[in-house]
Amino acid sequence: MIRLLVFSDSHGQTEKMINQIDNLINVDYIIHLGDHANDARGIELMYPEIKHIYVRGNCDFCDPADAEETFEIEGKKFFLTHGHIYGVKLNLENLKKHAEENNFDCVLFGHTHISLCEKFEKTLFLNPGSARETAGVIEIENKKLSGCIINI
């Protein structure tokens, strides 16, 4: 099984993220979806044995991180974005369209500070909410993708 721990919108407060990383067993990837991508770099230094992927958000003004990332794990195609570019505070239509056009299995986004884990058509959409309250967990086992929101 592959396990991804997903955070967003930490805004400089990493204590709960660190506690969750320390308490969750077998984390293979730590994902940060922006708004203080620099927090992700700090976490990466603390946990070099775990793979890290992060994007910048609307509050990461001059951050060198990419605004979007696409990657594949165990044959599952992932898309990461903070979400502000796609207007996720209004609705998910632009993001859904982008997911369908690019055949993504999983879309991870933040920005709203409201957690969400829902499948639309064939794509799993996960917003971990604010890293001060919640996180997301994605698991890939036997070629099946699942996700949930956890309180931290």
Side-chain angles (χ1 to χ4, degrees), residues 83-141:
H84 61 294
I85 298 168
Y86 293 87
V88 297
K89 282 190 176 179
L90 297 175
N91 60 53
L92 298 181
E93 295 311 308
N94 291 330
L95 202 51
K96 287 178 185 177
K97 182 178 178 188
H98 186 68
E100 183 180 335
E101 289 171 351
N102 291 279
N103 212 23
F104 292 123
D105 296 295
C106 186
V107 172
L108 304 175
F109 68 100
H111 189 53
T112 67
H113 293 215
I114 300 169
S115 58
L116 168 86
C117 184
E118 192 170 337
K119 200 163 193 172
F120 297 103
E121 300 294 324
K122 69 167 195 71
T123 305
L124 179 64
F125 284 74
L126 187 138
N127 180 334
S130 168
R132 292 174 272 182
E133 298 174 8
T134 54
V137 176
I138 300 282
E139 294 179 345
I140 306 169
E141 188 169 21

Side-chain angles (χ1 to χ4, degrees), residues 39-58:
D39 294 345
R41 279 188 282 285
I43 296 287
E44 185 174 26
L45 292 173
M46 295 176 68
Y47 301 91
E49 72 283 4
I50 301 174
K51 296 174 185 90
H52 296 260
I53 305 171
Y54 47 89
V55 294
R56 72 175 181 264
N58 61 298

